[in-house]
């Protein structure tokens, strides 16, 4: 198993496969800078020159090449990787992005290899954490090309190998359309927009930062969302007060009507490749990392998240024992 890349997914999946007894090598550009993927991999126990090697050597050595660079990185490295994808090998992705939008990425695999996908439904941090807890994350699997006749079997086997607890089958297209929609929507973009809007309304009406954060974020993440995860939305409603139930049931249709057109626009933008264009354009900017850090710092500096830092420190489990 040759893992190309050591970002959040590459790191988690490679460590889980190693713990599952698979023969894994990591392919990276060598860098001695503190915080680099190469140095992090060494700290995780990968041995330089043996299990930690160059991208080219890893791609050449691996019978299964797990292509886990960023989407922009996959586009950039494809001319190099493609040379090593000889007949009988398997090319593995955790995102359908590069294949589905190959008109923009140029990623077109040779016809005599298997091309498969196992996509964890969560961050690499969660992939690793749930594996160590003995649970495993939900993942989707898909087949793009079955040259060997065993691609489906390999996809499911690798899904287990990377630490999945549950697997469901999809297609490369459906995986990337749903994934990009979810990230920009309910999973990340929309939920931040809703948090921000409610917090600002509460603050504008005289509520303290602590109260506004508790009623917007803390109660959601610490009390209510876990109930949804356990048994569904109706279960969460059933375990709240009658006043909360009535209000939620009365108001959700208004939020539904207000947001569905936004989601329809979002899905259209994803399917037409506009989100791909924007992503590749931004991530290819030589100043991308610096720009991203600035954007995240601006979020961190917002009053809502500064209030959140204080609230989290007050959680009982974080108090000195």
């Amino acid at each position: 198993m040759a893992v190309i890349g050591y970002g959040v997914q590459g790191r988690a999946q490679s460590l889980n496969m190693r713990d599952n007894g698979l023969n894994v090598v990591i392919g990276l550009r060598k860098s001695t800078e503190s915080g680099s993927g190469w140095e992090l991999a060494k700290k995780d126990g990968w041995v330089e020159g043996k299990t930690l090697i160059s991208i080219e050597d890893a791609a050449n050595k691996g019978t299964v090449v797990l292509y886990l660079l960023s989407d922009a990185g996959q586009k950039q490295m494809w001319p190099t990787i493609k040379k090593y994808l000889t007949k009988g090998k398997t090319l593995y992705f955790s995102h359908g992005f590069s294949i589905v939008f190959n008109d923009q990425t140029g990623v077109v695999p040779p016809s005599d290899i298997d091309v498969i996908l196992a996509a964890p439904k969560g961050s690499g941090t969660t992939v690793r954490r749930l594996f160590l807890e003995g649970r495993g994350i939900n993942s989707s699997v898909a087949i793009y090309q079955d040259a060997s006749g065993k691609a489906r079997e390999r996809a499911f086997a690798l899904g287990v190998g990377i630490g999945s607890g549950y697997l469901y089958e999809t297609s490369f297209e459906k995986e990337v359309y749903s994934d990009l929609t979810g990230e920009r929507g309910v999973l990340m973009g929309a939920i931040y927009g809703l948090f921000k809007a409610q917090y600002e309304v509460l603050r504008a009406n005289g509520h303290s930062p602590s109260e506004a954060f508790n009623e917007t974020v803390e109660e959601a993440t610490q009390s209510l969302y876990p109930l949804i995860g356990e048994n569904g939305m109706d279960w969460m409603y059933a375990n709240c007060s009658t006043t909360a139930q009535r209000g939620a049931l009365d108001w959700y249709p208004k939020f539904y009507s207000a947001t569905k057109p936004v989601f329809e626009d979002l899905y259209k933008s994803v399917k037409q490749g506009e989100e791909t264009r924007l992503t590749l354009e931004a991530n290819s900017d030589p100043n991308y990392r610096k720009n991203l850090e600035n954007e995240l710092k601006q979020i961190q500096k917002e009053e809502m998240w500064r209030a959140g830092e204080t609230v989290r420190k007050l959680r009982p489990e974080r108090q000195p024992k």
Side-chain angles (χ1 to χ4, degrees):
M1 308 295 164
V3 177
I4 310 300
Y6 208 67
V8 288
Q9 285 294 342
R11 184 188 189 196
Q13 293 188 34
S14 60
L15 290 172
N16 289 356
M17 286 191 293
R18 185 175 70 181
D19 289 351
N20 273 331
L22 299 179
N23 185 11
V24 182
V25 296
I26 308 298
L28 290 175
R29 289 277 181 244
K30 185 173 182 179
S31 172
T32 57
E33 291 184 14
S34 176
S36 69
W38 187 273
E39 290 302 310
L40 180 59
K42 286 171 62 177
K43 289 180 181 178
D44 287 340
W46 303 101
V47 180
E48 187 171 342
K50 294 182 179 180
T51 56
L52 177 58
I53 54 183
S54 71
I55 290 175
E56 293 82 357
D57 287 346
N60 183 51
K61 188 174 184 178
T63 55
V64 178
V65 177
L66 293 88
Y67 204 26
L68 298 180
L69 295 171
S70 68
D71 294 320
Q74 288 182 14
K75 177 183 178 180
Q76 181 181 10
M77 286 301 301
W78 180 246
T80 299
I81 295 296
K82 186 176 180 179
K83 294 184 293 186
Y84 299 101
L85 297 176
T86 52
K87 183 178 180 179
K89 287 194 174 187
T90 297
L91 178 61
Y92 165 106
F93 293 89
S94 279
H95 194 17
F97 188 102
S98 291
I99 290 291
V100 173
F101 298 110
N102 57 27
D103 59 323
Q104 298 187 56
T105 64
V107 177
V108 179
S111 61
D112 55 0
I113 67 170
D114 289 348
V115 181
I116 63 175
L117 172 149
K121 299 299 105 180
S123 74
T125 301
T126 310
V127 171
R128 182 62 174 162
R129 182 179 296 162
L130 293 181
F131 176 82
L132 292 174
E133 291 174 1
R135 297 163 60 191
I137 198 166
N138 293 350
S139 300
S140 61
V141 295
I143 315 304
Y144 180 74
Q145 206 164 265
D146 186 5
S148 69
K150 297 180 179 179
R152 187 173 184 274
E153 177 183 339
R154 288 171 178 168
F156 275 89
L158 276 167
V160 173
I162 66 169
S164 305
Y166 168 78
L167 296 163
Y168 65 93
E169 198 161 0
T170 185
S171 68
F172 270 65
E173 290 83 1
K174 288 180 179 177
E175 188 282 328
V176 72
Y177 295 162
S178 60
D179 189 73
L180 292 181
T181 299
E183 290 168 347
R184 286 150 179 76
V186 168
L187 301 178
M188 295 173 69
I191 198 63
Y192 175 40
L194 287 171
F195 282 162
K196 187 176 176 71
Q198 178 171 300
Y199 181 89
E200 290 180 354
V201 168
L202 290 173
R203 289 289 289 125
N205 282 276
H207 298 269
S208 69
S210 176
E211 184 170 57
F213 186 86
N214 271 286
E215 294 293 350
T216 300
V217 179
E218 189 76 353
E219 185 174 350
T221 59
Q222 301 304 301
S223 175
L224 301 182
Y225 291 174
L227 293 176
I228 299 172
E230 286 178 14
N231 273 317
M233 186 67 72
D234 61 315
W235 170 254
M236 186 267 277
Y237 281 5
N239 282 275
C240 292
S241 70
T242 56
T243 302
Q245 292 168 356
R246 186 68 268 144
L249 291 168
D250 287 347
W251 273 88
Y252 94 79
K254 298 178 184 180
F255 286 105
Y256 170 83
S257 298
T259 59
K260 188 176 181 183
V262 179
F263 284 104
E264 289 172 339
D265 288 345
L266 169 57
Y267 193 87
K268 182 179 179 181
S269 182
V270 167
K271 191 171 183 179
Q272 291 181 343
E274 180 63 11
E275 296 303 308
T276 296
R277 183 189 68 78
L278 293 170
T279 296
L280 292 174
E281 186 178 279
N283 292 0
S284 298
D285 187 325
N287 295 317
Y288 170 72
R289 183 59 58 183
K290 183 177 180 180
N291 293 337
L292 175 63
E293 288 175 358
N294 288 335
E295 287 181 289
L296 296 182
K297 282 181 181 177
Q298 290 304 310
I299 294 175
Q300 184 184 38
K301 290 177 181 178
E302 290 179 1
E303 183 191 86
M304 175 167 64
W305 300 112
R306 287 189 284 112
E309 184 178 359
T310 300
V311 170
R312 287 189 295 274
K313 289 179 180 177
L314 297 174
R315 290 176 185 167
E317 70 271 17
R318 297 196 179 188
Q319 300 309 302
K321 295 182 180 179

